[in-house]
Amino acid sequence: MPRPLGELEDAVMTRVWKWNRPVTVREVLEDLQQERSIAYTTVMTVLDNLHQKGWVRRESEGRAYRYEAVSTRAAYAAALMNDAWSQSDNPAAALVAFFGMMSEEQRQALADAIRIVQGPETPAPGPGAVADGGER
């Protein structure tokens, strides 16, 4: 299970996930600088750390690197939820408490996700159907 990202790691990964393409340190820096004062070397160090932790892969481009996410933000969130749930001594109670915290929109998203995971339901055979699929 991955460790939760730190605040600056999350800010960097948010951009990498949102842009969904290989990015440079300079691109991330310029976007981050719209919100905070931050140095090029800080962003470079964070991306290098994320690479070492397995969050991003990188490819050399001239004297710099382009960084790309290894997995999605959804996969990251799922891993965090799974880790938290698996640490509970009463997983059913943890789920009930979690569901109780959800908004109606989140509960609908959960219902949709369950339908996707379960796949299309096969309707039960109607009256007069033959078990082997043949005709009468």
Side-chain angles (χ1 to χ4, degrees), residues 5 51 72 118:
L5 296 171
H51 176 256
T72 65
Q118 289 177 339

Side-chain angles (χ1 to χ4, degrees):
M1 161 59 209
R3 270 182 339 121
L5 296 171
E7 188 266 330
L8 188 52
E9 289 174 330
D10 186 68
V12 169
M13 283 306 299
T14 293
R15 282 145 180 90
V16 174
W17 282 318
K18 181 176 74 173
W19 296 335
N20 196 27
R21 62 174 172 74
V23 300
T24 64
V25 172
R26 175 84 41 213
E27 291 172 309
V28 175
L29 171 71
E30 289 173 358
D31 200 60
L32 281 171
Q33 284 179 331
Q34 295 176 29
E35 299 172 1
R36 63 177 86 193
S37 176
I38 190 166
Y40 180 93
T41 53
T42 302
V43 177
M44 184 175 60
T45 299
V46 170
L47 278 163
D48 185 59
N49 289 343
L50 289 166
H51 176 256
Q52 290 177 25
K53 292 177 179 181
W55 286 105
V56 294
R57 63 179 145 265
R58 67 185 181 194
E59 245 181 72
S60 182
E61 185 176 276
R63 294 181 8 176
Y65 288 107
R66 283 205 172 264
Y67 296 86
E68 187 172 20
V70 170
S71 67
T72 65
R73 185 170 197 88
Y76 168 67
L80 290 177
M81 288 187 289
N82 185 59
D83 185 54
W85 183 49
S86 67
Q87 291 182 32
S88 172
D89 60 350
N90 188 339
L95 282 175
V96 168
F98 180 61
F99 297 157
M101 295 177 199
M102 291 178 149
S103 68
E104 181 56 38
E105 183 179 296
Q106 290 169 321
R107 282 192 291 276
Q108 185 58 51
L110 175 64
D112 293 344
I114 289 170
R115 277 192 292 279
I116 290 168
V117 169
Q118 289 177 339
E121 292 187 31
T122 307
V130 178
D132 66 3
E135 294 183 16
R136 283 194 173 192

